[in-house]
Amino acid sequence: MEIGIDSFAAIFPDPATGRPPSPTDRMAALLDEIEIADRVGLDVFGIGEHHRAEFLDSAPAIILAAAAARTSRIRLTSAVTVLSAADPVRVFQEFATLDLVARGRAEIVVGRGSFGEAFPLFGLDTRAYDELFSEKLDLLLKLRETTNITWEGRFRPALTGQGVFPRPHQPRLPLWIGVGGTPQSFARAGALGLPLMVAIIGGDFERFRPLVDLYRDAGVQAGHSPDKLVVGVHAMGFVGETDAAAKDAFFPGWAHLTATVGRERGWSSPTRRQFEAMAGPEGAFLIGDPTTVAAKALHASEALGGVSRITFQMSTASLETAAMKRSITLLGREVAPAIRSATSPVFAYQDL
């Protein structure tokens, strides 16, 4: 199993002063985090895409390219690219360029996005939420295979044999589908035979098993080999010297973000009790000391019938700079080896 980190480049107010760090300082800290992740042997680092004041990740390919120049082995991916609101040609060009800078370490995770800000920002109609994604995914998949492409769709001007450059370092850019809890999204990824990245940010892992089974069943029914139907998990996670230290470092940022989003969506205010339940043995937060986190990650894999990658969403703890760096180090040097010793690699990048 691969172990990695996803970041949304969160920039939250300091609880003591009420002031956030400067965007410049936060970006510098993020690049330091990616460099540490590379140094301690983690497999992958992902940058999300949001168009909100709480995050600095509206242009993930640029952040990843900066990280590529400072790292040597870690794979670099989006988490996720909001493809519905993007031009697939430009997405392909950006990540092909990243792949050249990184000498073959780039990936793309595409999804529909859980926030709606990108749609009005780029002049798109949210009523076409799924149709936009489906059509643009079709084009992006064709761009991976063909340099000079002829293609016609509903939402973008037709392509009539133009060349799309540059081509990536890898023979084919790895492409994952990022999903939340919509059955149709799981089934689509399976029918296309694409690897699946499941965002599990609440509840428990077991409740996603029927959806993962739906993905695998759809893939087999479409003629894809079961060993090519790769599953990854994106989950809230943080590692500390003790369970208590990890929870104390993570909770303030999580509570701030959850409250902010909750006010927009009509949720009740988050509580420490809710957080403790999610970080407990039955919850989906991978938070605790190295032993606790490794055990929960292995449980997540078992609950979902085997996963090939788990990425930890740590950025809500971003203000705890020293704790963040220590968490990344513990994840790479203690948690990842324990998990790898209990699992085995199940996919190759040329298959993605």
Side-chain angles (χ1 to χ4, degrees), residues 141-203:
L141 290 171
K142 289 180 168 63
L143 289 166
R144 291 203 306 167
E145 310 296 337
T146 307
T147 302
N148 294 83
I149 184 167
T150 299
W151 178 91
E152 184 173 355
R154 174 183 166 197
F155 299 104
R156 188 200 187 281
L159 294 165
T160 56
Q162 294 94 330
V164 178
F165 303 103
R167 306 308 295 180
H169 178 89
Q170 297 172 90
R172 186 170 64 172
L173 272 173
L175 176 66
W176 299 64
I177 300 290
V179 299
T182 306
Q184 293 85 345
S185 296
F186 285 80
R188 171 165 47 205
L192 292 169
L194 292 170
L196 183 78
M197 179 58 68
V198 188
I200 302 179
I201 58 173

Side-chain angles (χ1 to χ4, degrees), residues 206-338:
E206 284 80 1
R207 74 185 179 95
F208 283 83
R209 179 60 181 267
L211 293 169
V212 171
D213 288 345
L214 174 63
Y215 160 74
R216 291 180 171 128
D217 290 344
V220 170
Q221 290 172 12
H224 302 291
S225 174
D227 63 348
K228 299 295 190 289
L229 298 170
V230 173
V231 177
V233 170
H234 160 101
M236 296 286 186
F238 200 78
V239 190
E241 299 288 355
T242 66
D243 289 355
K247 289 186 285 189
D248 287 344
F250 197 81
F251 174 74
W254 173 84
H256 175 84
L257 177 60
T258 304
T260 300
V261 175
R263 284 193 294 270
E264 299 172 2
R265 301 184 179 184
W267 301 346
S268 59
S269 297
T271 66
R272 183 71 189 227
R273 182 177 180 180
Q274 291 171 328
F275 174 80
E276 291 286 345
M278 295 305 305
E282 304 304 319
F285 288 1
L286 304 173
I287 298 175
D289 69 18
T291 300
T292 296
V293 172
K296 286 197 75 174
L298 291 169
H299 166 70
S301 180
E302 181 181 5
L304 297 173
V307 302
S308 298
R309 173 182 290 180
I310 294 181
T311 56
F312 289 62
Q313 208 297 82
M314 290 186 172
S315 59
T316 52
S318 59
L319 284 175
E320 300 284 348
T321 304
M324 277 288 290
K325 293 179 178 180
R326 182 59 177 154
S327 181
I328 294 168
T329 300
L330 289 170
L331 184 63
R333 291 184 174 165
E334 297 190 28
V335 176

Side-chain angles (χ1 to χ4, degrees), residues 3-206:
I3 302 299
I5 296 170
D6 289 333
S7 175
F8 297 163
I11 181 164
F12 298 145
D14 187 317
T17 67
R19 295 191 300 270
S22 76
T24 302
D25 289 345
R26 175 65 187 113
M27 190 64 72
L30 174 59
L31 292 173
D32 287 344
E33 292 162 15
I34 302 174
E35 192 171 358
I36 293 169
D38 182 60
R39 188 164 63 244
V40 301
L42 290 172
D43 298 294
V44 61
F45 204 108
I47 300 292
E49 180 190 340
H50 301 84
H51 302 269
R52 300 172 57 93
E54 299 92 351
F55 307 110
L56 300 176
D57 60 352
S58 64
I62 294 177
I63 301 173
L64 293 168
R70 296 175 55 165
T71 58
S72 61
R73 55 165 302 281
I74 196 166
R75 297 190 68 81
L76 301 166
T77 184
S78 57
V80 302
T81 294
V82 184
L83 188 61
S84 306
D87 181 349
V89 172
R90 199 63 177 141
V91 169
F92 180 85
Q93 291 175 323
E94 289 172 349
F95 280 85
T97 302
L98 169 63
D99 201 48
L100 297 177
V101 175
R103 293 183 174 271
R105 294 184 283 130
E107 301 180 9
I108 312 174
V109 181
V110 299
R112 299 183 299 176
S114 60
F115 293 93
E117 290 84 0
F119 291 86
L121 185 63
F122 297 112
L124 298 167
D125 189 344
T126 55
R127 291 175 296 182
Y129 182 70
D130 191 65
E131 293 90 340
L132 281 162
F133 181 76
S134 181
E135 178 178 298
K136 292 182 177 187
L137 177 60
D138 175 69
L139 176 53
L140 184 59
L141 290 171
K142 289 180 168 63
L143 289 166
R144 291 203 306 167
E145 310 296 337
T146 307
T147 302
N148 294 83
I149 184 167
T150 299
W151 178 91
E152 184 173 355
R154 174 183 166 197
F155 299 104
R156 188 200 187 281
L159 294 165
T160 56
Q162 294 94 330
V164 178
F165 303 103
R167 306 308 295 180
H169 178 89
Q170 297 172 90
R172 186 170 64 172
L173 272 173
L175 176 66
W176 299 64
I177 300 290
V179 299
T182 306
Q184 293 85 345
S185 296
F186 285 80
R188 171 165 47 205
L192 292 169
L194 292 170
L196 183 78
M197 179 58 68
V198 188
I200 302 179
I201 58 173
D204 56 61
F205 295 108
E206 284 80 1

